[in-house]
Amino acid sequence: MAAAAEQGLCSVYFCGSIRGGREDQALYAKIVSRLRRYGKVLTEHVAAAELDPRGEEAAGGDKLIHEQDLAWLRQADVVVAEVTQPSLGVGYELGWAVALGKQILCLFRPQSGRVLSAMIRGAANGSRIQVWDYTEEEVDAMLDRYFATYPPERKAASSNPSI
């Protein structure tokens, strides 16, 4: 485990479907639980069982959710996305993560019968952006392997206010 992760200094942004469908909520909870070993998970709420499939509710509405999520993305050292359930929001978050130069791991379960978007699978570059196929039974081992092989680098959020 990386020293930063052992000290709880790594910030993880977890992406999973909310309004696109909550079928994988229990798996998201398992992933978030494992991610806590490596640092602070900024978006733990994505795994919450009580989160309504229609989405999050916030006093400021959708605009506030958008602003908060972008702030967390900027703060994150690494982005981990479960991309099996198609989600416009997850795709949008990943686009921002790429633009911000974030370290990204996308997890996809081929046994779902779905085919992963070429825009996600094609973005994998073998270093900063990883796309890994897995089964639910492998998720803990996959995350352990990822964080051992690609420990997140602590870096400041972008200083470019337009990003």
Side-chain angles (χ1 to χ4, degrees):
M1 213 181 309
E6 288 174 358
Q7 297 169 359
L9 299 176
C10 172
S11 293
V12 181
Y13 188 101
F14 174 70
C15 305
S17 176
I18 296 175
R19 294 182 184 176
R22 298 294 290 160
E23 293 88 346
D24 291 336
Q25 176 276 319
L27 177 57
Y28 297 165
K30 183 176 182 178
I31 292 170
V32 166
S33 176
R34 194 62 169 205
L35 290 173
R36 286 187 194 116
R37 291 178 171 218
Y38 300 102
K40 178 170 177 49
V41 181
L42 302 170
T43 54
E44 287 189 0
H45 66 283
V46 173
E50 62 276 4
L51 192 57
D52 189 285
R54 289 177 306 228
E56 306 156 280
E57 295 298 325
D62 290 349
K63 181 119 180 104
L64 179 66
I65 292 167
H66 180 265
E67 305 280 327
Q68 178 62 68
D69 286 359
L70 286 182
W72 282 328
L73 262 174
R74 286 183 181 99
Q75 179 183 344
D77 299 306
V78 62
V79 174
V80 175
E82 209 302 331
V83 295
T84 306
Q85 172 66 43
S87 167
L88 292 170
V90 170
Y92 183 82
E93 289 167 322
L94 289 171
W96 268 99
V98 170
L100 292 167
K102 298 297 178 178
Q103 183 174 322
I104 302 167
L105 172 62
C106 294
L107 297 170
F108 179 75
R109 296 185 324 278
Q111 70 276 18
S112 68
R114 294 187 172 104
V115 178
L116 183 58
S117 167
M119 293 302 291
I120 302 299
R121 191 167 300 278
N125 62 14
S127 59
R128 179 135 326 262
I129 304 169
Q130 302 279 329
V131 178
W132 291 6
D133 292 343
Y134 77 107
T135 64
E136 283 190 50
E137 297 75 29
E138 298 174 313
V139 72
D140 288 348
M142 296 290 275
L143 290 169
D144 291 347
R145 188 177 102 207
Y146 177 79
F147 280 90
T149 308
Y150 303 97
E153 302 169 14
R154 289 272 308 155
K155 61 182 191 179
S158 171
S159 59
N160 182 345
S162 66
I163 293 182

